[in-house]
Short mmCIF file of all heavy atoms in Angstrom, two decimals:
data_model
loop_
_atom_site.label_atom_id
_atom_site.label_comp_id
_atom_site.label_asym_id
_atom_site.label_seq_id
_atom_site.Cartn_x
_atom_site.Cartn_y
_atom_site.Cartn_z
N SER V 10 15.01 -18.65 3.44
CA SER V 10 14.09 -17.69 2.86
C SER V 10 14.83 -16.66 2.03
O SER V 10 15.68 -15.93 2.54
CB SER V 10 13.31 -16.97 3.97
OG SER V 10 12.57 -15.89 3.43
N ILE V 11 14.49 -16.59 0.74
CA ILE V 11 15.18 -15.64 -0.12
C ILE V 11 14.79 -14.20 0.18
O ILE V 11 15.37 -13.27 -0.37
CB ILE V 11 14.97 -15.95 -1.62
CG1 ILE V 11 13.49 -15.85 -2.02
CG2 ILE V 11 15.56 -17.31 -1.97
CD1 ILE V 11 13.27 -15.89 -3.52
N LEU V 12 13.84 -14.00 1.10
CA LEU V 12 13.50 -12.64 1.52
C LEU V 12 14.73 -11.95 2.11
O LEU V 12 14.85 -10.73 2.04
CB LEU V 12 12.37 -12.68 2.56
CG LEU V 12 11.77 -11.34 2.99
CD1 LEU V 12 11.08 -10.66 1.82
CD2 LEU V 12 10.78 -11.53 4.14
N ALA V 13 15.64 -12.74 2.66
CA ALA V 13 16.84 -12.18 3.29
C ALA V 13 18.03 -12.15 2.34
O ALA V 13 19.13 -11.77 2.74
CB ALA V 13 17.20 -13.00 4.53
N SER V 14 17.81 -12.54 1.10
CA SER V 14 18.91 -12.61 0.13
C SER V 14 19.13 -11.27 -0.56
O SER V 14 18.37 -10.31 -0.38
CB SER V 14 18.63 -13.69 -0.91
OG SER V 14 17.57 -13.30 -1.78
N ASP V 15 20.16 -11.23 -1.40
CA ASP V 15 20.44 -10.05 -2.22
C ASP V 15 19.65 -10.19 -3.52
O ASP V 15 20.03 -10.96 -4.41
CB ASP V 15 21.94 -9.98 -2.50
CG ASP V 15 22.32 -8.82 -3.42
OD1 ASP V 15 21.42 -8.05 -3.81
OD2 ASP V 15 23.51 -8.71 -3.75
N TYR V 16 18.56 -9.46 -3.63
CA TYR V 16 17.68 -9.61 -4.78
C TYR V 16 18.34 -9.18 -6.10
O TYR V 16 17.87 -9.55 -7.17
CB TYR V 16 16.38 -8.81 -4.56
CG TYR V 16 15.29 -9.58 -3.86
CD1 TYR V 16 15.59 -10.43 -2.80
CD2 TYR V 16 13.96 -9.47 -4.24
CE1 TYR V 16 14.60 -11.14 -2.15
CE2 TYR V 16 12.95 -10.18 -3.59
CZ TYR V 16 13.28 -11.01 -2.55
OH TYR V 16 12.30 -11.72 -1.91
N ALA V 17 19.41 -8.42 -6.01
CA ALA V 17 20.10 -8.00 -7.22
C ALA V 17 20.94 -9.13 -7.81
O ALA V 17 21.38 -9.06 -8.96
CB ALA V 17 21.00 -6.79 -6.94
N ASN V 18 21.15 -10.19 -7.00
CA ASN V 18 21.98 -11.31 -7.42
C ASN V 18 21.34 -12.63 -7.04
O ASN V 18 21.98 -13.50 -6.43
CB ASN V 18 23.38 -11.20 -6.79
CG ASN V 18 24.12 -9.96 -7.22
OD1 ASN V 18 24.61 -9.87 -8.33
ND2 ASN V 18 24.18 -8.97 -6.34
N LEU V 19 20.08 -12.81 -7.39
CA LEU V 19 19.33 -13.98 -6.92
C LEU V 19 19.92 -15.30 -7.39
O LEU V 19 19.95 -16.27 -6.64
CB LEU V 19 17.86 -13.87 -7.35
CG LEU V 19 16.94 -13.14 -6.38
CD1 LEU V 19 15.53 -13.04 -6.95
CD2 LEU V 19 16.90 -13.84 -5.03
N GLN V 20 20.39 -15.37 -8.62
CA GLN V 20 20.95 -16.63 -9.09
C GLN V 20 22.18 -17.01 -8.26
O GLN V 20 22.32 -18.16 -7.84
CB GLN V 20 21.32 -16.55 -10.57
CG GLN V 20 21.88 -17.88 -11.10
CD GLN V 20 22.08 -17.87 -12.61
OE1 GLN V 20 21.70 -16.93 -13.29
NE2 GLN V 20 22.68 -18.94 -13.12
N THR V 21 23.04 -16.06 -8.01
CA THR V 21 24.22 -16.32 -7.18
C THR V 21 23.82 -16.71 -5.77
O THR V 21 24.41 -17.63 -5.18
CB THR V 21 25.13 -15.07 -7.15
OG1 THR V 21 25.52 -14.74 -8.47
CG2 THR V 21 26.37 -15.31 -6.31
N GLU V 22 22.84 -16.04 -5.23
CA GLU V 22 22.37 -16.35 -3.88
C GLU V 22 21.81 -17.76 -3.80
O GLU V 22 22.03 -18.48 -2.82
CB GLU V 22 21.31 -15.33 -3.44
CG GLU V 22 21.83 -13.93 -3.24
CD GLU V 22 22.59 -13.78 -1.93
OE1 GLU V 22 23.73 -14.30 -1.85
OE2 GLU V 22 22.08 -13.15 -1.00
N LEU V 23 21.08 -18.18 -4.83
CA LEU V 23 20.53 -19.53 -4.84
C LEU V 23 21.65 -20.57 -4.92
O LEU V 23 21.54 -21.64 -4.32
CB LEU V 23 19.57 -19.69 -6.02
CG LEU V 23 18.23 -18.96 -5.88
CD1 LEU V 23 17.49 -18.92 -7.20
CD2 LEU V 23 17.36 -19.60 -4.80
N GLU V 24 22.71 -20.26 -5.63
CA GLU V 24 23.85 -21.18 -5.71
C GLU V 24 24.51 -21.34 -4.35
O GLU V 24 25.02 -22.42 -4.02
CB GLU V 24 24.85 -20.66 -6.73
CG GLU V 24 24.35 -20.75 -8.17
CD GLU V 24 25.21 -19.98 -9.16
OE1 GLU V 24 26.18 -19.32 -8.72
OE2 GLU V 24 24.91 -20.04 -10.37
N ARG V 25 24.48 -20.29 -3.54
CA ARG V 25 25.09 -20.34 -2.20
C ARG V 25 24.32 -21.26 -1.25
O ARG V 25 24.86 -21.69 -0.23
CB ARG V 25 25.16 -18.93 -1.59
CG ARG V 25 26.07 -17.96 -2.32
CD ARG V 25 25.91 -16.57 -1.75
NE ARG V 25 26.51 -16.45 -0.43
CZ ARG V 25 26.02 -15.68 0.56
NH1 ARG V 25 24.92 -14.98 0.37
NH2 ARG V 25 26.63 -15.62 1.72
N ILE V 26 23.05 -21.54 -1.56
CA ILE V 26 22.23 -22.37 -0.67
C ILE V 26 21.79 -23.66 -1.37
O ILE V 26 20.73 -24.21 -1.07
CB ILE V 26 21.01 -21.59 -0.14
CG1 ILE V 26 20.13 -21.07 -1.30
CG2 ILE V 26 21.46 -20.43 0.75
CD1 ILE V 26 18.79 -20.53 -0.85
N SER V 27 22.62 -24.13 -2.28
CA SER V 27 22.26 -25.32 -3.07
C SER V 27 22.14 -26.59 -2.24
O SER V 27 21.57 -27.58 -2.69
CB SER V 27 23.28 -25.53 -4.19
OG SER V 27 24.58 -25.75 -3.65
N THR V 28 22.67 -26.57 -1.01
CA THR V 28 22.57 -27.76 -0.14
C THR V 28 21.29 -27.75 0.71
O THR V 28 21.08 -28.67 1.50
CB THR V 28 23.78 -27.84 0.80
OG1 THR V 28 23.88 -26.64 1.57
CG2 THR V 28 25.07 -28.03 0.00
N ALA V 29 20.47 -26.73 0.53
CA ALA V 29 19.21 -26.66 1.29
C ALA V 29 18.24 -27.74 0.81
O ALA V 29 18.36 -28.26 -0.30
CB ALA V 29 18.59 -25.28 1.13
N ASP V 30 17.28 -28.05 1.66
CA ASP V 30 16.27 -29.04 1.30
C ASP V 30 15.14 -28.41 0.50
O ASP V 30 14.52 -29.06 -0.36
CB ASP V 30 15.69 -29.66 2.58
CG ASP V 30 16.78 -30.30 3.42
OD1 ASP V 30 17.21 -31.40 3.07
OD2 ASP V 30 17.20 -29.69 4.41
N LEU V 31 14.85 -27.15 0.79
CA LEU V 31 13.80 -26.39 0.13
C LEU V 31 14.27 -24.95 -0.02
O LEU V 31 15.19 -24.51 0.68
CB LEU V 31 12.50 -26.40 0.94
CG LEU V 31 11.84 -27.76 1.25
CD1 LEU V 31 10.79 -27.60 2.34
CD2 LEU V 31 11.21 -28.33 -0.02
N ILE V 32 13.63 -24.21 -0.92
CA ILE V 32 13.83 -22.76 -1.02
C ILE V 32 12.52 -22.10 -0.62
O ILE V 32 11.48 -22.36 -1.23
CB ILE V 32 14.20 -22.33 -2.46
CG1 ILE V 32 15.43 -23.07 -2.97
CG2 ILE V 32 14.38 -20.82 -2.52
CD1 ILE V 32 16.70 -22.78 -2.23
N HIS V 33 12.56 -21.27 0.42
CA HIS V 33 11.35 -20.61 0.90
C HIS V 33 11.17 -19.29 0.17
O HIS V 33 12.05 -18.42 0.20
CB HIS V 33 11.44 -20.37 2.41
CG HIS V 33 10.13 -19.99 3.03
ND1 HIS V 33 9.16 -20.91 3.35
CD2 HIS V 33 9.62 -18.78 3.39
CE1 HIS V 33 8.12 -20.30 3.89
NE2 HIS V 33 8.38 -18.99 3.91
N VAL V 34 10.03 -19.15 -0.49
CA VAL V 34 9.75 -17.95 -1.28
C VAL V 34 8.55 -17.23 -0.67
O VAL V 34 7.42 -17.72 -0.70
CB VAL V 34 9.44 -18.31 -2.75
CG1 VAL V 34 9.20 -17.04 -3.57
CG2 VAL V 34 10.58 -19.14 -3.35
N ASP V 35 8.81 -16.06 -0.09
CA ASP V 35 7.75 -15.27 0.55
C ASP V 35 7.08 -14.36 -0.47
O ASP V 35 7.73 -13.53 -1.09
CB ASP V 35 8.35 -14.41 1.68
CG ASP V 35 8.72 -15.24 2.89
OD1 ASP V 35 7.85 -15.96 3.39
OD2 ASP V 35 9.88 -15.16 3.33
N VAL V 36 5.77 -14.53 -0.60
CA VAL V 36 4.99 -13.72 -1.53
C VAL V 36 4.04 -12.86 -0.70
O VAL V 36 3.20 -13.38 0.04
CB VAL V 36 4.19 -14.61 -2.51
CG1 VAL V 36 3.31 -13.75 -3.41
CG2 VAL V 36 5.13 -15.47 -3.33
N MET V 37 4.18 -11.54 -0.80
CA MET V 37 3.37 -10.60 -0.03
C MET V 37 2.64 -9.64 -0.96
O MET V 37 3.21 -9.18 -1.95
CB MET V 37 4.24 -9.80 0.94
CG MET V 37 5.18 -10.64 1.78
SD MET V 37 6.14 -9.58 2.89
CE MET V 37 7.53 -10.65 3.25
N ASP V 38 1.40 -9.34 -0.60
CA ASP V 38 0.57 -8.54 -1.51
C ASP V 38 0.32 -7.10 -1.07
O ASP V 38 -0.37 -6.34 -1.74
CB ASP V 38 -0.78 -9.23 -1.73
CG ASP V 38 -1.62 -9.34 -0.45
OD1 ASP V 38 -1.15 -8.93 0.63
OD2 ASP V 38 -2.76 -9.85 -0.54
N GLY V 39 0.88 -6.71 0.08
CA GLY V 39 0.65 -5.35 0.56
C GLY V 39 -0.73 -5.15 1.14
O GLY V 39 -1.10 -4.03 1.51
N HIS V 40 -1.50 -6.23 1.26
CA HIS V 40 -2.86 -6.16 1.80
C HIS V 40 -3.01 -7.11 2.98
O HIS V 40 -3.35 -6.69 4.09
CB HIS V 40 -3.88 -6.49 0.71
CG HIS V 40 -5.30 -6.31 1.14
ND1 HIS V 40 -6.11 -7.36 1.54
CD2 HIS V 40 -6.06 -5.20 1.25
CE1 HIS V 40 -7.30 -6.89 1.89
NE2 HIS V 40 -7.30 -5.59 1.71
N PHE V 41 -2.75 -8.40 2.74
CA PHE V 41 -2.80 -9.37 3.84
C PHE V 41 -1.70 -9.05 4.85
O PHE V 41 -1.88 -9.20 6.06
CB PHE V 41 -2.62 -10.79 3.29
CG PHE V 41 -2.74 -11.86 4.34
CD1 PHE V 41 -3.98 -12.23 4.83
CD2 PHE V 41 -1.61 -12.50 4.83
CE1 PHE V 41 -4.09 -13.22 5.81
CE2 PHE V 41 -1.71 -13.49 5.79
CZ PHE V 41 -2.96 -13.85 6.29
N VAL V 42 -0.56 -8.62 4.34
CA VAL V 42 0.54 -8.11 5.16
C VAL V 42 0.94 -6.75 4.58
O VAL V 42 0.67 -6.48 3.41
CB VAL V 42 1.75 -9.07 5.16
CG1 VAL V 42 1.42 -10.36 5.90
CG2 VAL V 42 2.22 -9.38 3.75
N PRO V 43 1.59 -5.90 5.37
CA PRO V 43 1.87 -4.54 4.91
C PRO V 43 2.86 -4.45 3.74
O PRO V 43 2.80 -3.51 2.96
CB PRO V 43 2.44 -3.85 6.15
CG PRO V 43 1.99 -4.68 7.31
CD PRO V 43 1.92 -6.09 6.80
N ASN V 44 3.77 -5.39 3.65
CA ASN V 44 4.80 -5.29 2.62
C ASN V 44 4.40 -5.96 1.31
O ASN V 44 3.47 -6.77 1.27
CB ASN V 44 6.11 -5.93 3.12
CG ASN V 44 6.82 -5.03 4.11
OD1 ASN V 44 6.65 -3.82 4.10
ND2 ASN V 44 7.64 -5.62 4.97
N ILE V 45 5.12 -5.62 0.25
CA ILE V 45 4.98 -6.25 -1.06
C ILE V 45 6.33 -6.86 -1.41
O ILE V 45 7.37 -6.23 -1.23
CB ILE V 45 4.56 -5.22 -2.13
CG1 ILE V 45 3.17 -4.64 -1.82
CG2 ILE V 45 4.58 -5.85 -3.52
CD1 ILE V 45 2.75 -3.50 -2.74
N SER V 46 6.31 -8.11 -1.89
CA SER V 46 7.60 -8.73 -2.25
C SER V 46 7.63 -9.07 -3.73
O SER V 46 7.74 -8.19 -4.57
CB SER V 46 7.86 -9.96 -1.37
OG SER V 46 6.82 -10.92 -1.50
N ILE V 47 7.50 -10.36 -4.07
CA ILE V 47 7.63 -10.78 -5.46
C ILE V 47 6.39 -11.53 -5.92
O ILE V 47 5.57 -11.96 -5.11
CB ILE V 47 8.87 -11.66 -5.67
CG1 ILE V 47 8.77 -12.95 -4.83
CG2 ILE V 47 10.14 -10.90 -5.33
CD1 ILE V 47 9.86 -13.94 -5.08
N GLY V 48 6.27 -11.71 -7.23
CA GLY V 48 5.14 -12.42 -7.79
C GLY V 48 5.58 -13.61 -8.61
O GLY V 48 6.76 -13.99 -8.64
N ALA V 49 4.64 -14.21 -9.31
CA ALA V 49 4.89 -15.43 -10.08
C ALA V 49 5.98 -15.26 -11.15
O ALA V 49 6.75 -16.20 -11.37
CB ALA V 49 3.58 -15.91 -10.71
N PRO V 50 6.09 -14.12 -11.85
CA PRO V 50 7.14 -14.01 -12.87
C PRO V 50 8.55 -14.19 -12.30
O PRO V 50 9.42 -14.78 -12.96
CB PRO V 50 6.93 -12.60 -13.43
CG PRO V 50 5.48 -12.32 -13.21
CD PRO V 50 5.17 -12.95 -11.89
N VAL V 51 8.79 -13.68 -11.10
CA VAL V 51 10.11 -13.85 -10.49
C VAL V 51 10.34 -15.31 -10.11
O VAL V 51 11.42 -15.86 -10.31
CB VAL V 51 10.26 -12.94 -9.24
CG1 VAL V 51 11.59 -13.20 -8.54
CG2 VAL V 51 10.17 -11.47 -9.64
#
């Protein structure tokens, strides 16, 4: 889950997990859950 990654260096972080089977992307809206994360542009 990239929620635990360094968002300032996402490309580098993704390279560190290139052997993963999937990349889990958590999208939060601040309504269904209290926090807000990222949207489609990211």
Side-chain angles (χ1 to χ4, degrees):
S10 171
I11 62 169
L12 187 64
S14 71
D15 177 2
Y16 272 40
N18 298 285
L19 271 177
Q20 182 172 354
T21 301
E22 292 283 73
L23 288 168
E24 291 168 356
R25 294 173 72 214
I26 58 169
S27 61
T28 58
D30 302 283
L31 301 166
I32 304 295
H33 193 80
V34 182
D35 287 306
V36 177
M37 310 181 201
D38 64 357
H40 186 260
F41 184 76
V42 292
N44 284 335
I45 296 174
S46 58
I47 62 174
V51 175

